[in-house]
Amino acid sequence: MLEYISTDKAPAAIGPYSQAIKAGGFLFASGQIPINPADGEIDTNTITDQADVVCRNIGEILKEAGTDYEHVVKTTCYLAEMADFSAFNAVYEKYFTGKPARSCVAVKQLPRNVLCEVEVIAYLG
């Protein structure tokens, strides 16, 4: 059985998808970009600040699903510039202290021209 997760404390989906779905003991969360959930705007312009907003938004989705960062087993991270890798990691490691498996790639462009996007899979069992 699928359970759709949604919270107004994280950005609403900006397309035909869900914030997250619980399925088979796992939570699959859509990629989060640094949108301020209060007004739908991108209020930051550095990789450090944007990564922090992304991680906080992920935290709200995890909380709504009844879990936390420690139960994240896999992340996929997208960067607009691989030169931001170290600065991104400095923020990321403050949140994902359980060191989940991870992929991190640079992409040509991200939605709304942001600098980073992160999606997560968490174990709920």
Side-chain angles (χ1 to χ4, degrees):
M1 178 170 220
L2 302 179
E3 180 183 345
Y4 293 83
I5 303 300
S6 182
T7 176
D8 60 1
K9 294 180 181 173
I14 56 175
Y17 59 89
S18 302
Q19 282 179 330
I21 297 175
K22 285 183 180 182
F26 288 91
L27 177 75
F28 299 87
S30 294
Q32 294 297 302
I33 62 174
I35 294 175
N36 178 335
D39 62 12
E41 297 299 318
I42 311 281
D43 300 330
T44 60
N45 59 9
T46 68
I47 187 63
T48 302
D49 291 342
Q50 287 194 8
D52 189 63
V53 173
V54 165
C55 290
R56 284 186 282 132
N57 288 341
I58 289 168
E60 292 297 337
I61 292 170
L62 292 169
K63 183 178 175 181
E64 184 68 23
T67 192
D68 56 32
Y69 298 101
E70 290 298 314
H71 290 89
V72 172
V73 296
K74 173 74 167 82
T75 66
T76 304
C77 307
Y78 305 95
L79 302 177
E81 296 287 337
M82 195 51 76
D84 289 336
F85 187 76
S86 293
F88 174 82
N89 277 342
V91 176
Y92 176 96
E93 70 184 352
K94 293 176 187 176
Y95 290 91
F96 296 97
T97 57
K99 299 188 181 204
R102 180 179 102 166
S103 300
C104 186
V105 298
V107 296
K108 184 175 179 180
Q109 188 174 13
L110 289 164
R112 298 185 62 183
N113 294 314
V114 299
L115 302 175
C116 61
E117 178 175 353
V118 178
E119 65 182 54
V120 302
I121 299 171
Y123 181 63
L124 302 170

